[in-house]
Amino acid sequence: MTKTIADLDTPTVLIDIDRVEANLRRAQAHAEKEGYALRPHTKTHKLPQFAKRAIELGAVGITVQKLGEAEVMADAGLTDIFLPYNIIGPLKLARLKALNGRITLSVTADSPDTVAGYAATFTADQPLTVLVECDSGGGRCGVQSGAQALALARQIIAAPGLRFGGLMTYPPLHGVAKSNAWLREAIALFDTAGIAVPRVSAGNSPDMWEPAEAPVTERRPGTYIYFDRFQVRKKVASLDDCALTVLATVVSRPTATRVVLDTGSKSLTSDLMGMDGYGLVMGTDLVVKALSEEHGVIEMPAASDWPRIGDRLRIIPNHACVVSNLFDSVTLISGDTVTGTLKVASRGRVD
């Protein structure tokens, strides 16, 4: 007997596989049209099956955020992984060395200390590819100037066990032009020094439809596979593109205007991201106005007898990536039909 959404318990995460496929194809087509390599970030879905599908469609490899995520993806058969993170300390460096022996791996560094750790761990017979992380306006990690980037690249090149892989940045939101200008100035210094920059990796989902301009050769969008309320607000996608929803049940109607769901901060992200409320009720203008750990509260604009206790609603979360890390598994759907269940393989791998 065919299983449908009506047969599911709540709260649960629903993944519309038709929308996922359309989102993956659209992004790959854009990359090919614009002439850059697509290396999607898997932190949004944490699912090897979707990572492999992106590669089948033309992605050059994948991006992960933590070493534990890279290990999970490698165990699942992914063979080209970019880990844009400073890997610090002997425990992690030993794991990184083991992983580098199994797959094509690249990492980043933004300090001489990080490079020194890599240099002390890796040898010429199995070198590690290291990109220099640049703060081109995002205000997170990264060297602060082109001169610092060049100095760090020279340190990488001088280490027998390391290979200079290029530059990496996470641009500020809607700051692609500013970021690219920063990168161009840095690369001019490399050109003067006679040092080739093999790869320039950038990108985020909110700016993924911006034209790809030199010097960027690779982009790493992640949320695009599902999209979410924030991406819709930024006009990157429509509500019809959103592939991830949280199925919730109405458990209380204390007043004629208050609706309480069985989805709180342990099911929906508490990220506001500059928006009103914590998620949008699919097919309506209603938002989840308040969260406690196990309750989500909707305040109706006027007294209403809908929805009733026991009714089920689908919530488009503000930030899909966080929701993926809250559930052990997700349910795949096509229309209202349940097509399968997937374990969220790298959930909780923050190490």
Side-chain angles (χ1 to χ4, degrees):
M1 183 176 177
T2 302
K3 194 173 184 179
T4 70
I5 293 174
D7 300 313
L8 300 173
D9 205 350
T10 64
T12 192
V13 175
L14 304 178
I15 305 298
D16 187 315
I17 56 173
D18 302 312
R19 294 184 180 187
V20 163
E21 181 72 8
N23 293 340
L24 289 175
R25 287 181 176 275
R26 182 185 175 199
Q28 185 61 45
H30 185 267
E32 292 172 5
K33 174 179 175 290
E34 293 288 325
Y36 63 87
L38 187 67
R39 184 179 290 275
H41 212 310
T42 64
K43 67 183 178 68
T44 298
H45 56 80
K46 301 178 179 289
L47 298 168
Q49 177 174 314
F50 287 168
K52 291 177 180 178
R53 181 57 183 153
I55 290 172
E56 288 173 355
L57 291 172
V60 297
I62 62 169
T63 305
V64 299
Q65 200 59 51
K66 286 299 186 75
L67 180 55
E69 292 177 342
E71 290 167 334
V72 169
M73 291 295 168
D75 289 345
L78 280 302
T79 59
D80 191 328
I81 299 177
F82 182 32
L83 172 55
Y85 207 86
N86 292 303
I87 306 301
I88 305 297
L91 295 178
K92 283 189 171 61
L93 287 170
R95 289 165 56 196
L96 188 69
K97 186 175 183 179
L99 185 62
N100 191 57
R102 299 167 52 197
I103 63 169
T104 299
L105 179 68
S106 51
V107 299
T108 56
D110 72 348
S111 73
D113 297 302
T114 303
V115 174
Y118 295 154
T121 303
F122 291 85
T123 54
D125 60 322
Q126 206 166 77
L128 175 69
T129 298
V130 184
L131 285 74
V132 174
E133 181 165 4
C134 305
D135 180 5
S136 61
R140 195 165 60 184
C141 298
V143 296
Q144 299 298 298
S145 69
Q148 288 179 328
L150 180 59
L152 209 56
R154 283 181 164 138
Q155 184 184 353
I156 294 167
I157 292 167
L162 305 183
R163 181 187 296 118
F164 174 57
L167 303 179
M168 168 267 173
T169 191
Y170 187 82
L173 185 63
H174 302 323
V176 171
K178 175 182 177 182
S179 177
N180 287 350
W182 193 105
L183 291 167
R184 280 192 290 269
E185 288 183 10
I187 290 173
L189 296 178
F190 280 76
D191 289 342
T192 300
I195 296 175
V197 180
R199 174 170 146 210
V200 180
S201 182
N204 55 36
S205 290
D207 294 313
M208 64 183 295
W209 307 127
E210 291 287 323
E213 296 180 353
V216 172
T217 63
E218 171 183 284
R219 281 178 163 178
R220 312 180 312 277
T223 313
Y224 80 97
I225 189 170
Y226 291 158
F227 290 118
D228 51 28
R229 188 180 174 213
F230 178 73
Q231 303 295 329
V232 172
R233 181 171 181 260
K234 292 298 178 183
K235 303 187 186 306
V236 186
S238 71
L239 291 172
D240 290 338
D241 296 318
C242 293
L244 181 150
T245 55
V246 178
L247 183 65
T249 297
V250 177
V251 294
S252 179
R253 287 299 312 266
T255 74
T257 58
R258 187 184 309 157
V259 180
V260 183
L261 308 174
D262 61 351
T263 46
S265 62
K266 292 179 179 178
S267 305
L268 290 171
T269 172
S270 57
D271 290 353
L272 284 170
M273 306 183 80
M275 293 178 286
D276 175 38
Y278 299 93
L280 177 71
V281 179
M282 187 175 176
T284 77
D285 294 326
L286 300 175
V287 298
V288 179
K289 285 284 191 178
L291 293 179
S292 55
E293 287 187 55
E294 304 292 359
H295 298 89
V297 178
I298 299 169
E299 292 292 347
M300 305 288 284
S304 173
D305 60 2
W306 180 88
R308 298 178 182 275
I309 291 175
D311 285 349
R312 281 122 76 80
L313 307 175
R314 290 171 65 178
I315 312 299
I316 300 172
N318 290 357
H319 191 185
C321 305
V322 180
V323 173
S324 291
N325 203 47
L326 295 174
F327 287 82
D328 288 331
S329 64
V330 296
T331 300
L332 307 181
I333 61 170
S334 178
D336 289 332
T337 301
V338 173
T339 64
T341 302
L342 291 178
K343 179 184 177 182
V344 183
S346 61
R347 181 201 175 194
R349 291 306 302 266
V350 297
D351 52 336

